[in-house]
Short mmCIF file of all heavy atoms in Angstrom, two decimals:
data_model
loop_
_atom_site.label_atom_id
_atom_site.label_comp_id
_atom_site.label_asym_id
_atom_site.label_seq_id
_atom_site.Cartn_x
_atom_site.Cartn_y
_atom_site.Cartn_z
N LYS A 70 -8.36 -5.56 8.24
CA LYS A 70 -9.00 -6.02 9.48
C LYS A 70 -10.23 -6.85 9.18
O LYS A 70 -11.01 -6.51 8.29
CB LYS A 70 -9.39 -4.82 10.34
CG LYS A 70 -8.22 -3.92 10.69
CD LYS A 70 -8.67 -2.62 11.31
CE LYS A 70 -9.33 -1.70 10.30
NZ LYS A 70 -8.40 -1.22 9.26
N ILE A 71 -10.37 -7.95 9.90
CA ILE A 71 -11.61 -8.70 9.92
C ILE A 71 -12.27 -8.39 11.26
O ILE A 71 -11.81 -8.82 12.31
CB ILE A 71 -11.38 -10.21 9.77
CG1 ILE A 71 -10.63 -10.51 8.48
CG2 ILE A 71 -12.70 -10.98 9.80
CD1 ILE A 71 -10.22 -11.96 8.32
N ILE A 72 -13.32 -7.58 11.22
CA ILE A 72 -13.95 -7.08 12.44
C ILE A 72 -15.18 -7.93 12.74
O ILE A 72 -16.12 -7.99 11.93
CB ILE A 72 -14.35 -5.61 12.30
CG1 ILE A 72 -13.10 -4.77 11.93
CG2 ILE A 72 -14.98 -5.09 13.59
CD1 ILE A 72 -13.42 -3.34 11.60
N MET A 73 -15.15 -8.59 13.88
CA MET A 73 -16.24 -9.50 14.26
C MET A 73 -16.97 -8.97 15.47
O MET A 73 -16.35 -8.51 16.43
CB MET A 73 -15.68 -10.90 14.55
CG MET A 73 -15.05 -11.57 13.35
SD MET A 73 -14.35 -13.18 13.75
CE MET A 73 -12.98 -12.67 14.78
N LYS A 74 -18.29 -9.05 15.40
CA LYS A 74 -19.14 -8.73 16.54
C LYS A 74 -19.72 -10.03 17.07
O LYS A 74 -20.40 -10.75 16.36
CB LYS A 74 -20.26 -7.77 16.13
CG LYS A 74 -19.77 -6.42 15.66
CD LYS A 74 -20.94 -5.53 15.26
CE LYS A 74 -20.45 -4.16 14.79
NZ LYS A 74 -21.58 -3.30 14.37
N ILE A 75 -19.42 -10.30 18.32
CA ILE A 75 -19.86 -11.55 18.94
C ILE A 75 -20.85 -11.19 20.03
O ILE A 75 -20.48 -10.65 21.08
CB ILE A 75 -18.68 -12.36 19.51
CG1 ILE A 75 -17.63 -12.55 18.41
CG2 ILE A 75 -19.14 -13.69 20.06
CD1 ILE A 75 -16.36 -13.19 18.88
N ALA A 76 -22.13 -11.44 19.79
CA ALA A 76 -23.18 -10.99 20.69
C ALA A 76 -23.28 -11.91 21.91
O ALA A 76 -23.02 -13.12 21.83
CB ALA A 76 -24.52 -10.96 19.96
N ASP A 77 -23.64 -11.30 23.03
CA ASP A 77 -23.98 -12.03 24.27
C ASP A 77 -22.81 -12.80 24.86
O ASP A 77 -22.99 -13.76 25.60
CB ASP A 77 -25.15 -13.00 24.04
CG ASP A 77 -26.36 -12.30 23.47
OD1 ASP A 77 -26.59 -11.13 23.86
OD2 ASP A 77 -27.05 -12.89 22.63
N TRP A 78 -21.58 -12.40 24.53
CA TRP A 78 -20.40 -13.05 25.11
C TRP A 78 -19.56 -11.98 25.79
O TRP A 78 -19.51 -10.84 25.36
CB TRP A 78 -19.58 -13.76 24.04
CG TRP A 78 -20.12 -15.10 23.67
CD1 TRP A 78 -21.38 -15.39 23.25
CD2 TRP A 78 -19.41 -16.34 23.68
NE1 TRP A 78 -21.51 -16.72 23.00
CE2 TRP A 78 -20.31 -17.34 23.25
CE3 TRP A 78 -18.11 -16.71 24.01
CZ2 TRP A 78 -19.96 -18.68 23.15
CZ3 TRP A 78 -17.75 -18.04 23.89
CH2 TRP A 78 -18.66 -19.01 23.47
N ASN A 79 -18.90 -12.39 26.84
CA ASN A 79 -18.01 -11.49 27.57
C ASN A 79 -16.57 -11.79 27.17
O ASN A 79 -16.15 -12.94 27.14
CB ASN A 79 -18.18 -11.65 29.07
CG ASN A 79 -17.35 -10.64 29.85
OD1 ASN A 79 -16.16 -10.83 30.04
ND2 ASN A 79 -18.00 -9.57 30.28
N PHE A 80 -15.83 -10.73 26.87
CA PHE A 80 -14.46 -10.91 26.39
C PHE A 80 -13.60 -11.67 27.40
O PHE A 80 -12.78 -12.51 27.03
CB PHE A 80 -13.85 -9.53 26.11
CG PHE A 80 -12.37 -9.58 25.80
CD1 PHE A 80 -11.87 -10.38 24.80
CD2 PHE A 80 -11.48 -8.83 26.54
CE1 PHE A 80 -10.53 -10.42 24.52
CE2 PHE A 80 -10.12 -8.86 26.27
CZ PHE A 80 -9.66 -9.67 25.26
N TYR A 81 -13.79 -11.42 28.67
CA TYR A 81 -12.93 -12.05 29.67
C TYR A 81 -13.18 -13.55 29.78
O TYR A 81 -12.32 -14.30 30.21
CB TYR A 81 -13.12 -11.35 31.01
CG TYR A 81 -12.74 -9.90 30.95
CD1 TYR A 81 -13.71 -8.91 30.92
CD2 TYR A 81 -11.41 -9.51 30.84
CE1 TYR A 81 -13.38 -7.57 30.81
CE2 TYR A 81 -11.06 -8.18 30.74
CZ TYR A 81 -12.05 -7.21 30.73
OH TYR A 81 -11.71 -5.88 30.61
N GLU A 82 -14.37 -13.99 29.38
CA GLU A 82 -14.61 -15.42 29.31
C GLU A 82 -14.08 -15.99 27.99
O GLU A 82 -13.54 -17.08 27.92
CB GLU A 82 -16.12 -15.70 29.40
CG GLU A 82 -16.74 -15.24 30.72
CD GLU A 82 -18.25 -15.36 30.68
OE1 GLU A 82 -18.79 -15.70 29.61
OE2 GLU A 82 -18.89 -15.08 31.71
N TRP A 83 -14.25 -15.18 26.93
CA TRP A 83 -13.94 -15.67 25.59
C TRP A 83 -12.44 -15.70 25.30
O TRP A 83 -11.93 -16.58 24.63
CB TRP A 83 -14.64 -14.75 24.59
CG TRP A 83 -14.42 -15.08 23.16
CD1 TRP A 83 -14.93 -16.13 22.46
CD2 TRP A 83 -13.64 -14.33 22.23
NE1 TRP A 83 -14.53 -16.07 21.15
CE2 TRP A 83 -13.74 -14.99 20.98
CE3 TRP A 83 -12.87 -13.16 22.31
CZ2 TRP A 83 -13.09 -14.52 19.84
CZ3 TRP A 83 -12.23 -12.70 21.19
CH2 TRP A 83 -12.35 -13.38 19.97
N GLN A 84 -11.69 -14.74 25.86
CA GLN A 84 -10.28 -14.61 25.51
C GLN A 84 -9.45 -15.79 26.00
O GLN A 84 -8.41 -16.09 25.43
CB GLN A 84 -9.71 -13.32 26.08
CG GLN A 84 -9.59 -13.30 27.59
CD GLN A 84 -8.81 -12.09 28.06
OE1 GLN A 84 -8.10 -11.47 27.31
NE2 GLN A 84 -8.98 -11.75 29.32
N SER A 85 -9.90 -16.48 27.04
CA SER A 85 -9.09 -17.57 27.59
C SER A 85 -9.00 -18.75 26.63
O SER A 85 -8.11 -19.59 26.76
CB SER A 85 -9.68 -18.03 28.93
OG SER A 85 -11.00 -18.50 28.73
N SER A 86 -9.93 -18.82 25.66
CA SER A 86 -9.92 -19.96 24.74
C SER A 86 -9.14 -19.68 23.47
O SER A 86 -9.08 -20.51 22.59
CB SER A 86 -11.37 -20.34 24.37
OG SER A 86 -11.97 -19.27 23.65
N ILE A 87 -8.55 -18.48 23.37
CA ILE A 87 -7.81 -18.13 22.15
C ILE A 87 -6.38 -17.75 22.53
O ILE A 87 -6.15 -17.02 23.47
CB ILE A 87 -8.49 -16.95 21.42
CG1 ILE A 87 -9.88 -17.38 20.94
CG2 ILE A 87 -7.65 -16.49 20.24
CD1 ILE A 87 -10.57 -16.33 20.15
N GLU A 88 -5.45 -18.28 21.79
CA GLU A 88 -4.05 -17.96 22.04
C GLU A 88 -3.53 -16.99 20.99
O GLU A 88 -4.13 -16.81 19.94
CB GLU A 88 -3.22 -19.25 22.03
CG GLU A 88 -3.57 -20.19 23.19
CD GLU A 88 -2.64 -21.37 23.25
OE1 GLU A 88 -1.72 -21.42 22.41
OE2 GLU A 88 -2.82 -22.21 24.13
N ARG A 89 -2.42 -16.40 21.30
CA ARG A 89 -1.81 -15.46 20.37
C ARG A 89 -1.44 -16.17 19.08
O ARG A 89 -1.09 -17.35 19.09
CB ARG A 89 -0.55 -14.85 20.99
CG ARG A 89 -0.86 -13.90 22.13
CD ARG A 89 -1.45 -12.61 21.60
NE ARG A 89 -1.75 -11.67 22.68
CZ ARG A 89 -2.27 -10.48 22.49
NH1 ARG A 89 -2.59 -10.09 21.27
NH2 ARG A 89 -2.51 -9.68 23.51
N PRO A 90 -1.46 -15.45 17.94
CA PRO A 90 -1.16 -16.10 16.67
C PRO A 90 0.31 -16.47 16.55
O PRO A 90 1.18 -15.81 17.11
CB PRO A 90 -1.53 -15.03 15.64
CG PRO A 90 -1.40 -13.75 16.39
CD PRO A 90 -1.81 -14.05 17.80
N ALA A 91 0.56 -17.52 15.82
CA ALA A 91 1.94 -17.93 15.53
C ALA A 91 2.10 -17.99 14.02
O ALA A 91 1.21 -18.46 13.31
CB ALA A 91 2.22 -19.29 16.15
N LEU A 92 3.22 -17.52 13.53
CA LEU A 92 3.46 -17.49 12.09
C LEU A 92 3.97 -18.86 11.65
O LEU A 92 5.02 -19.31 12.09
CB LEU A 92 4.49 -16.41 11.76
CG LEU A 92 4.81 -16.20 10.29
CD1 LEU A 92 3.55 -15.78 9.54
CD2 LEU A 92 5.89 -15.15 10.12
N VAL A 93 3.21 -19.50 10.77
CA VAL A 93 3.58 -20.82 10.28
C VAL A 93 3.42 -20.84 8.77
O VAL A 93 2.31 -20.75 8.25
CB VAL A 93 2.70 -21.93 10.91
CG1 VAL A 93 3.13 -23.29 10.38
CG2 VAL A 93 2.77 -21.89 12.42
N LYS A 94 4.53 -20.91 8.05
CA LYS A 94 4.51 -21.01 6.59
C LYS A 94 3.64 -19.92 5.94
O LYS A 94 2.79 -20.21 5.10
CB LYS A 94 4.04 -22.40 6.15
CG LYS A 94 4.98 -23.52 6.55
CD LYS A 94 4.49 -24.87 6.07
CE LYS A 94 5.44 -25.97 6.48
NZ LYS A 94 4.97 -27.30 6.06
N ASN A 95 3.83 -18.70 6.40
CA ASN A 95 3.14 -17.53 5.86
C ASN A 95 1.64 -17.51 6.11
O ASN A 95 0.93 -16.67 5.58
CB ASN A 95 3.39 -17.39 4.34
CG ASN A 95 4.83 -17.08 4.05
OD1 ASN A 95 5.49 -16.40 4.82
ND2 ASN A 95 5.35 -17.61 2.96
N ASP A 96 1.12 -18.43 6.90
CA ASP A 96 -0.28 -18.40 7.28
C ASP A 96 -0.34 -18.16 8.77
O ASP A 96 0.52 -18.58 9.53
CB ASP A 96 -0.98 -19.72 6.96
CG ASP A 96 -1.05 -19.99 5.47
OD1 ASP A 96 -1.04 -19.00 4.72
OD2 ASP A 96 -1.11 -21.16 5.08
N HIS A 97 -1.39 -17.48 9.23
CA HIS A 97 -1.51 -17.14 10.63
C HIS A 97 -2.62 -17.97 11.25
O HIS A 97 -3.77 -17.92 10.81
CB HIS A 97 -1.80 -15.65 10.79
CG HIS A 97 -0.66 -14.81 10.30
ND1 HIS A 97 -0.45 -14.54 8.97
CD2 HIS A 97 0.36 -14.22 10.97
CE1 HIS A 97 0.62 -13.80 8.83
NE2 HIS A 97 1.13 -13.58 10.02
N HIS A 98 -2.28 -18.78 12.24
CA HIS A 98 -3.22 -19.74 12.80
C HIS A 98 -3.48 -19.46 14.28
O HIS A 98 -2.57 -19.14 15.04
CB HIS A 98 -2.67 -21.17 12.66
CG HIS A 98 -2.54 -21.61 11.23
ND1 HIS A 98 -3.57 -22.16 10.52
CD2 HIS A 98 -1.49 -21.55 10.38
CE1 HIS A 98 -3.17 -22.44 9.29
NE2 HIS A 98 -1.90 -22.08 9.18
N TRP A 99 -4.74 -19.60 14.69
CA TRP A 99 -5.12 -19.57 16.09
C TRP A 99 -5.55 -20.98 16.49
O TRP A 99 -6.00 -21.76 15.64
CB TRP A 99 -6.29 -18.61 16.30
CG TRP A 99 -5.87 -17.17 16.33
CD1 TRP A 99 -5.75 -16.38 17.43
CD2 TRP A 99 -5.54 -16.34 15.23
NE1 TRP A 99 -5.35 -15.11 17.07
CE2 TRP A 99 -5.21 -15.06 15.74
CE3 TRP A 99 -5.45 -16.55 13.85
CZ2 TRP A 99 -4.83 -14.01 14.93
CZ3 TRP A 99 -5.07 -15.50 13.05
CH2 TRP A 99 -4.76 -14.25 13.59
N ASN A 100 -5.44 -21.31 17.78
CA ASN A 100 -5.83 -22.65 18.21
C ASN A 100 -7.29 -22.97 17.92
O ASN A 100 -7.62 -23.99 17.36
CB ASN A 100 -5.56 -22.80 19.72
CG ASN A 100 -4.14 -23.24 19.98
OD1 ASN A 100 -3.33 -23.30 19.06
ND2 ASN A 100 -3.83 -23.54 21.22
N ASP A 101 -8.18 -22.06 18.35
CA ASP A 101 -9.60 -22.33 18.20
C ASP A 101 -10.22 -21.54 17.06
O ASP A 101 -11.39 -21.72 16.73
CB ASP A 101 -10.35 -21.99 19.49
CG ASP A 101 -9.79 -22.77 20.65
OD1 ASP A 101 -9.89 -24.01 20.64
OD2 ASP A 101 -9.22 -22.13 21.55
N MET A 102 -9.45 -20.67 16.46
CA MET A 102 -9.94 -19.89 15.33
C MET A 102 -8.78 -19.76 14.35
O MET A 102 -7.72 -19.27 14.71
CB MET A 102 -10.41 -18.51 15.79
CG MET A 102 -10.92 -17.62 14.66
SD MET A 102 -11.36 -16.02 15.31
CE MET A 102 -12.65 -16.47 16.45
N ALA A 103 -8.93 -20.24 13.17
CA ALA A 103 -7.85 -20.20 12.19
C ALA A 103 -8.19 -19.20 11.10
O ALA A 103 -9.26 -19.24 10.53
CB ALA A 103 -7.62 -21.58 11.57
N VAL A 104 -7.29 -18.30 10.85
CA VAL A 104 -7.47 -17.31 9.79
C VAL A 104 -6.29 -17.43 8.85
O VAL A 104 -5.14 -17.29 9.26
CB VAL A 104 -7.56 -15.87 10.35
CG1 VAL A 104 -7.64 -14.88 9.22
CG2 VAL A 104 -8.75 -15.74 11.27
N VAL A 105 -6.56 -17.71 7.59
CA VAL A 105 -5.52 -17.83 6.59
C VAL A 105 -5.62 -16.61 5.69
O VAL A 105 -6.63 -16.40 5.03
CB VAL A 105 -5.68 -19.12 5.76
CG1 VAL A 105 -4.57 -19.21 4.71
CG2 VAL A 105 -5.65 -20.34 6.66
N ALA A 106 -4.60 -15.79 5.70
CA ALA A 106 -4.59 -14.58 4.88
C ALA A 106 -3.83 -14.86 3.60
O ALA A 106 -2.68 -15.28 3.64
CB ALA A 106 -3.94 -13.43 5.64
N THR A 107 -4.46 -14.68 2.47
CA THR A 107 -3.81 -14.89 1.19
C THR A 107 -3.78 -13.59 0.43
O THR A 107 -4.72 -12.81 0.46
CB THR A 107 -4.55 -15.95 0.35
OG1 THR A 107 -5.87 -15.49 0.11
CG2 THR A 107 -4.59 -17.29 1.07
N SER A 108 -2.69 -13.33 -0.24
CA SER A 108 -2.58 -12.14 -1.07
C SER A 108 -1.61 -12.43 -2.20
O SER A 108 -0.86 -13.40 -2.16
CB SER A 108 -2.08 -10.94 -0.25
OG SER A 108 -0.78 -11.19 0.20
N ASP A 109 -1.66 -11.60 -3.22
CA ASP A 109 -0.73 -11.73 -4.33
C ASP A 109 0.67 -11.42 -3.83
O ASP A 109 0.98 -10.29 -3.47
CB ASP A 109 -1.14 -10.76 -5.44
CG ASP A 109 -0.28 -10.91 -6.68
OD1 ASP A 109 0.71 -11.67 -6.63
OD2 ASP A 109 -0.60 -10.28 -7.69
#
Side-chain angles (χ1 to χ4, degrees):
K70 302 169 288 294
I71 302 174
I72 303 172
M73 297 178 291
K74 296 180 180 179
I75 307 173
D77 305 324
W78 279 54
N79 185 280
F80 172 55
Y81 299 105
E82 298 172 355
W83 179 72
Q84 69 171 341
S85 61
S86 65
I87 296 183
E88 294 187 1
R89 290 287 181 180
L92 183 61
V93 180
K94 295 181 180 178
N95 294 326
D96 294 334
H97 296 79
H98 295 275
W99 281 257
N100 273 7
D101 303 295
M102 179 183 298
V104 176
V105 180
T107 60
S108 64
D109 184 353

